[in-house]
Amino acid sequence: EEAGTNAEKAAVAGPEKGVQGINVLPLASLKKSENGIPRSSEKLTVPADSFDQRLFRIFVSHRWLQPKKPHPDANGHPKYQLILKCIEDMQKRGWVPSDDDKIVLWIDYACINQDAKDPAAELNDNMLRIVGMCDMVLTPVVDEEWESWAAHLERDQIEKDVAGTYGAKQWQDYWKRAWCLLEIFFAAHVPFTPELVLPLIGGEVLDFVTEKQARPHVLYGTRESEKSEVAFFLAPLRDEKLEEKDPGNGELFSENDRQKIKYHVKELRISTMVRQSKTDEAVATFGAFDVANVLDKLAEVHKEQCQFQQQLERVQEALEVRRKDPKSSDNAVAGTLMTMGLVYERLGCFDIALQTHEEALEMQKKIHGHDHVDVAKTYNNMGLVYEKLGEYKKALEYYQKSLEIKIKAL
């Protein structure tokens, strides 16, 4: 009960820094770009965990217009202009923060190293976390022929079924592309904490989040820009849609990405089964190793959203899965115990945190010996707990043990 209360207080106060390894593009930097959507080599992005305040984070999900070049936009930067105009419109309406410094974006072309041998490989471990840290998904749709399909349609007709009625060719193609489908499903299924975003939003975005309790996904195309209309909201996709529109069967510019897509689809299926309290069934279907890894990632998402009680539940499940699996290494179990001890500390359950760290410590000593870096980390973690308990002599003792091992490792 106390743990739940602490988690709620943390959620209201705002998140701790916890999105290491992910870069974002500040809206102010995007506006200053002279080349439209900036390439990663322009180095306009910053680490997502480098901010001291809670920002509004927008994931830009889009189909690249020039994949052979490769470039996400067309000549004249029409997609870039749509992104800026959509955000500006939402700011004027009070839907999102009016201060540019409170908005950052994740755009693949800017935030993934495009000079890497395989840029998409960067998403292998981070896709779930990237979507999980974002508060909104925005899909810009360049459509110079919008009048040919939209002239006879009123807005309310489109709103009844945006996915099926919006007639832009780029939008229809979007629903065929493997990466785009994957992003749609991740947006709908990765955990989302409305309480964190409520202080930053208003208007129809607030209405959507309050009613749906889901991450909003908006579409803004040339039609909306030309008619000075607001973006359309997509209905969150239900679980059964994953079978109907499996991203694993979607179109790809490079077939080399097929296995990555299938891996992420497996992550989606596992996370859906976890949400449905079918973790044992997920293990039977996909194996303990993959299920435990997804549980680790879900725990990270909950941590980044300050859902510490939910983080604890996912870590506990990962520990149980690994302990039941004869193929799981003792090192993986010890690492999970380390994480669990940290979560208990965040929840203010200091006695349980110490017990958990002690269990991890004993396993680490048996695996690595007494002078390993993991042993030093656990000593340090225990020192932090003792410090919070006001037992400063004990804290100093464990800090010294940690320091001695680190000095030996130099």
Side-chain angles (χ1 to χ4, degrees):
E1 191 171 40
E2 180 184 354
T5 302
N6 287 341
E8 289 166 9
K9 289 179 180 177
V12 172
E16 64 176 23
K17 294 181 178 181
V19 282
Q20 294 88 349
I22 299 173
N23 289 329
V24 292
L25 178 64
L27 176 58
S29 298
L30 179 63
K31 285 186 172 183
K32 293 176 183 176
S33 173
E34 298 179 356
N35 302 309
I37 299 173
R39 195 175 188 276
S40 60
S41 55
E42 295 180 49
K43 300 187 183 304
L44 296 180
T45 60
V46 295
D49 63 347
S50 62
F51 301 94
D52 293 326
Q53 60 178 324
R54 181 66 165 85
L55 304 181
F56 190 77
R57 302 161 177 165
I58 300 174
F59 183 104
V60 178
S61 174
H62 60 123
R63 178 185 180 277
W64 283 33
L65 299 184
Q66 299 185 78
K68 293 182 180 180
K69 194 171 182 177
H71 197 280
D73 209 346
N75 294 335
H77 316 310
K79 183 185 290 184
Y80 168 77
Q81 292 167 13
L82 283 176
I83 292 171
L84 292 184
K85 191 168 182 179
C86 179
I87 295 174
E88 181 181 349
D89 183 69
M90 291 192 292
Q91 287 178 311
K92 287 180 178 177
R93 296 175 186 274
W95 290 11
V96 300
S98 59
D99 184 352
D100 288 354
D101 290 336
K102 291 186 177 180
I103 297 178
V104 294
L105 301 92
W106 190 91
I107 307 177
D108 48 10
Y109 192 62
C111 299
I112 295 176
N113 182 7
Q114 299 299 314
D115 292 318
K117 183 178 181 181
D118 182 9
E122 190 175 320
L123 295 174
N124 286 352
D125 290 326
N126 285 331
M127 184 74 174
L128 198 153
R129 294 177 61 232
I130 291 169
V131 177
M133 78 172 187
C134 290
D135 307 308
M136 170 184 280
V137 177
L138 164 60
T139 297
V141 178
V142 176
D143 178 24
E144 297 303 328
E145 301 178 357
W146 66 272
E147 290 178 298
S148 65
W149 63 268
H152 66 287
L153 288 173
E154 297 297 331
R155 181 178 177 88
D156 60 350
Q157 292 176 285
I158 300 174
E159 285 179 322
K160 291 177 182 177
D161 178 18
V162 178
T165 307
Y166 200 87
K169 184 180 184 302
Q170 289 294 332
W171 178 242
Q172 295 168 353
D173 289 346
Y174 176 90
W175 281 88
K176 299 175 184 177
R177 305 297 298 176
W179 282 109
C180 296
L181 286 169
L182 192 70
E183 290 163 3
I184 293 171
F185 281 106
F186 266 95
H189 290 79
V190 172
F192 174 69
T193 306
E195 291 78 11
L196 285 179
V197 73
L198 290 180
L200 299 172
I201 59 177
E204 292 189 29
V205 173
L206 177 61
D207 293 341
F208 180 94
V209 170
T210 303
E211 178 186 349
K212 306 291 186 183
Q213 294 290 297
R215 180 180 289 105
H217 186 164
V218 299
L219 178 160
Y220 189 83
T222 306
R223 174 197 173 279
E224 290 65 65
S225 176
E226 292 297 321
K227 291 173 71 70
S228 298
E229 289 187 1
V230 299
F232 285 102
F233 289 82
L234 297 180
L237 290 180
R238 297 185 299 273
D239 295 340
E240 59 267 22
K241 285 290 185 179
L242 186 55
E243 301 297 330
E244 179 185 332
K245 296 188 175 293
D246 186 345
N249 299 325
E251 296 176 0
L252 285 165
F253 178 70
S254 171
E255 278 299 318
N256 292 333
D257 287 348
R258 184 70 61 188
Q259 290 305 312
K260 298 184 187 73
I261 294 291
K262 290 184 175 180
Y263 169 77
H264 290 306
V265 170
K266 179 164 60 175
E267 285 188 318
L268 269 174
R269 296 186 190 282
I270 292 172
S271 62
T272 296
M273 295 175 82
V274 168
R275 177 164 46 80
Q276 296 171 342
S277 300
K278 296 179 179 178
T279 302
D280 289 342
E281 185 178 333
V283 171
T285 305
F286 299 104
F289 181 83
D290 285 329
V291 172
N293 281 344
V294 171
L295 287 166
D296 288 342
K297 292 177 182 180
L298 289 171
E300 277 294 303
V301 171
H302 286 304
K303 170 188 162 188
E304 289 158 10
Q305 296 179 1
C306 295
Q307 294 181 314
F308 301 132
Q309 190 64 46
Q310 290 90 333
Q311 181 192 8
L312 177 62
E313 291 168 6
R314 297 291 87 85
V315 175
Q316 288 172 329
E317 286 183 278
L319 181 63
E320 182 179 355
V321 168
R322 289 186 169 114
R323 278 181 161 163
K324 286 182 178 179
D325 179 26
K327 296 180 182 179
S328 286
S329 68
D330 288 343
N331 195 43
V333 173
T336 309
L337 284 166
M338 277 183 69
T339 302
M340 186 179 293
L342 293 171
V343 182
Y344 276 126
E345 179 193 337
R346 289 188 192 103
L347 290 170
C349 303
F350 300 126
D351 289 340
I352 304 177
L354 285 173
Q355 294 170 15
T356 308
H357 284 316
E358 188 67 48
E359 187 176 356
L361 183 66
E362 292 308 309
M363 289 191 71
Q364 289 163 342
K365 288 178 178 178
K366 289 179 181 178
I367 298 166
H368 304 298
H370 290 244
D371 295 327
H372 192 269
V373 62
D374 284 352
V375 174
K377 288 178 182 177
T378 301
Y379 276 138
N380 187 75
N381 291 339
M382 294 176 75
L384 288 169
V385 177
Y386 278 119
E387 184 176 350
K388 288 185 177 181
L389 285 169
E391 298 186 33
Y392 300 117
K393 287 186 178 180
K394 274 278 191 181
L396 179 60
E397 175 188 341
Y398 280 89
Y399 286 146
Q400 287 174 330
K401 288 181 179 181
S402 176
L403 181 61
E404 287 170 7
I405 295 173
K406 291 175 181 177
I407 290 173
K408 287 181 182 178
L410 292 177

